[in-house]
Amino acid sequence: MSTMSVSKISHASYVTPDLARLSEYYQQVLGLSLVEEEAGRVYLGSTMDHDPEPGVADQFTFLDPKGTRIQIFHATPPSDRRFATQGIVPNKLGHVAFHVEDVVAMTDFYCNVLGFRVSDWLERQFSFLRCGPDHHTVNFIGSGEIRHDHTAYELRDWSHMQAACDYLSRNNIRLLWGPGRHGIGHNLFTYHRNPDGLITELYAELDRMSDETLGYFEPRPWHPDSPQRPKTWQMSPRLVNLWREEFPPEEMLKV
Ligand SMILES: [Fe+2]
């Protein structure tokens, strides 16, 4: 029985050895806006969502089973902050993927305690969990390690992704993988590293379960099943990129 039901991801926090360099990347390249700055911390946002710590009193914090600090809070009143006018300017923070020691236990915790639902499994190694209409807001990868895998930002469409790739190139940031289209989630994707080496995914056209009571993802021409419902997928090169037989390049897997 779920004790609460979270409805969206608000923010992700990172510790960095070079705050100025990382802040410049998120503002100048990714196109997030500066919300607030205080000693040793920078808060950035797209429009409404940002790190809640300045100005949010009604929250509680706990460590999840892998030791990540989770903050739960009621939605704050909408701000009038507008999207940035330079940089890639994603729609929003979309999902965060983590490596965990016990993927089944972590998935059960997020479902039973926080109210997430399983959208898909890749075998019994990789879970995709939703807390709203987006196919996944968190991923757990059962690799035996505990670490961040990637943080993903939603772009508008394929043409925004093309512009983003050009913009990354102009800023001397090379793509690690993609563009392509994933099997699970069916999003267009491309991955690169931020200045600290953490992987950023930019994606568009992620599967959506617009009506939870119907229990299937909004039909799309690239879906293999009709209707497409949550299931366990089998690993194949074609699954990780529908456009060609491909596994992630080796350098992508190095921390
Ligand atoms: Fe992702």
Side-chain angles (χ1 to χ4, degrees):
M1 175 65 81
S2 176
T3 54
M4 69 185 100
S5 183
V6 302
S7 54
K8 63 187 291 193
I9 187 169
S10 164
H11 62 276
S13 304
Y14 306 94
V15 174
T16 176
D18 190 335
L19 185 60
R21 183 182 66 173
L22 199 64
S23 178
E24 182 185 11
Y25 160 81
Y26 282 109
Q27 290 183 73
Q28 306 299 323
V29 180
L30 220 56
L32 301 181
S33 305
L34 181 66
V35 176
E36 203 163 315
E37 199 165 6
E38 57 184 42
R41 287 170 180 257
V42 168
Y43 301 92
L44 304 169
S46 50
T47 55
M48 289 161 57
D49 296 328
H50 64 87
D51 197 311
E53 281 166 296
V56 175
D58 184 18
Q59 62 169 303
F60 73 92
T61 299
F62 64 95
L63 298 182
D64 76 3
K66 60 182 158 42
T68 304
R69 191 163 61 104
I70 303 293
Q71 296 167 297
I72 303 285
F73 60 96
H74 290 293
T76 49
S79 71
D80 65 355
R81 189 172 56 257
R82 306 301 166 91
F83 285 103
T85 53
Q86 66 167 22
I88 292 168
V89 193
N91 290 345
K92 64 179 182 182
L93 170 65
H95 61 267
V96 183
F98 290 98
H99 291 258
V100 299
E101 288 180 324
D102 185 336
V103 67
V104 173
M106 191 66 64
T107 299
D108 286 348
F109 178 87
Y110 270 71
C111 290
N112 295 336
V113 177
L114 298 175
F116 280 75
R117 283 85 67 195
V118 172
S119 290
D120 278 312
W121 278 97
L122 172 56
E123 297 177 348
R124 221 50 179 173
Q125 298 173 1
F126 204 144
S127 63
F128 298 77
L129 308 183
R130 70 181 182 281
C131 62
D134 288 348
H135 178 274
H136 55 280
T137 298
V138 289
N139 291 132
F140 294 120
I141 305 157
S143 65
E145 300 176 81
I146 299 178
R147 64 177 172 87
H148 171 271
D149 186 83
H150 66 269
T151 301
Y153 297 85
E154 185 189 68
L155 304 186
R156 291 184 294 280
D157 54 19
W158 177 242
S159 118
H160 192 189
M161 186 168 286
Q162 177 230 313
C165 291
D166 285 335
Y167 195 74
L168 290 172
S169 167
R170 278 210 301 282
N171 284 277
N172 296 316
I173 296 175
R174 313 299 291 172
L175 301 184
L176 269 181
W177 187 28
R181 185 186 290 284
H182 284 316
I184 301 173
H186 293 97
N187 46 304
L188 299 168
F189 69 86
T190 182
Y191 296 79
H192 66 273
R193 287 189 192 274
N194 77 11
D196 285 351
L198 293 181
I199 294 174
T200 296
E201 176 187 6
L202 302 174
Y203 73 90
E205 298 185 347
L206 184 67
D207 288 346
R208 287 177 66 83
M209 190 174 283
S210 301
D211 185 341
E212 188 78 25
T213 60
L214 293 176
Y216 60 76
F217 296 96
E218 200 165 281
R220 287 287 182 263
W222 46 80
H223 287 185
D225 306 331
S226 183
Q228 179 183 293
R229 299 181 190 280
K231 68 175 185 181
T232 299
W233 301 66
Q234 295 305 306
M235 175 55 91
S236 84
R238 200 154 179 274
L239 187 65
V240 296
N241 186 353
L242 289 178
W243 295 345
R244 53 182 181 176
E245 305 285 327
E246 181 184 45
F247 278 111
E250 189 65 28
E251 63 267 28
M252 171 136 192
L253 305 174
K254 294 181 194 148
V255 182

